[in-house]
Every structure is written in C-alpha cells, then in structure tokens.
Amino acid sequence: MELLFAVLGGILIGAAAHVVLPWRSSRGVLVGPAVGGIAAAVLWEALTWAGWRYDGTWIWVVALVGAGVVALVVEWLLGSQRDKRDAEYYERLKARGA
C-alpha cells in the first residue's frame, strides 16, 4: 500500500515539474507524471530492498525528492533539446529556401 502512495506522490510531483519548467508546449503532458511515478517506484523498491523501513521518514523523503529531481532533469533535458533541434531544423529549412 505504501508503494501505491509513493507512486502517486511521484506522479503529482512530476506533474508539478511539468508546470513549473519552461517548454510546456514542446513536451508531452504525461512525460513529467510518468517519469515521476516510475522514479518514485524504482527508488522506493531499491530502498526497501536495502532494508529501509516503510514507516520511516527518510524513505519517503528520498523517494519523493528523488522522483522530483529525476522528473525535473528529464523534462529540462527534453525541453532544451527539443528547442535546440527545432531551431536547427528551422535554419536548415531557411537555408534550403523552403
């Protein structure tokens, strides 16, 4: 049951990451929530396998903050790369006269 709550928290944090970062129009709406949820699930499972207790505070902090960091990094990289590649594509089209 705790895994479900950790994943839901990761999804919410990923959705918040989608809203606060620029390039919202060039990324998919579900990229942030999906990455946040997956990261929270992977971190939660890794920490439980490492022996961290479900009712401990630190497992929640690490899983949710880690999910937020992963979601922010992935969305930042995707947005900046998309912006850069769109500009390069535009310049190539402009040079060809299309």
Side-chain angles (χ1 to χ4, degrees):
M1 189 62 145
E2 288 87 358
L3 175 62
L4 174 68
F5 293 135
V7 171
L8 287 174
I11 289 170
L12 292 174
I13 290 171
H18 174 74
V19 171
V20 299
L21 288 177
W23 307 298
R24 278 187 291 272
S25 62
S26 64
R27 285 188 319 264
V29 176
L30 295 178
V31 171
V35 170
I38 292 168
V42 169
L43 284 169
W44 183 270
E45 285 301 316
L47 293 173
T48 57
W49 290 342
W52 291 28
R53 296 172 39 97
Y54 294 135
D55 58 353
T57 303
W58 286 109
I59 192 169
W60 289 99
V61 171
V62 171
L64 295 178
V65 169
V69 168
V70 170
L72 285 170
V73 168
V74 167
E75 289 201 4
W76 184 271
L77 291 174
L78 285 176
S80 64
Q81 287 297 314
R82 174 71 185 263
D83 193 35
K84 183 179 110 182
R85 290 188 179 157
D86 283 352
E88 290 171 357
Y89 181 67
Y90 174 73
E91 291 301 321
R92 275 189 313 199
L93 286 178
K94 195 167 71 169
R96 282 188 0 201

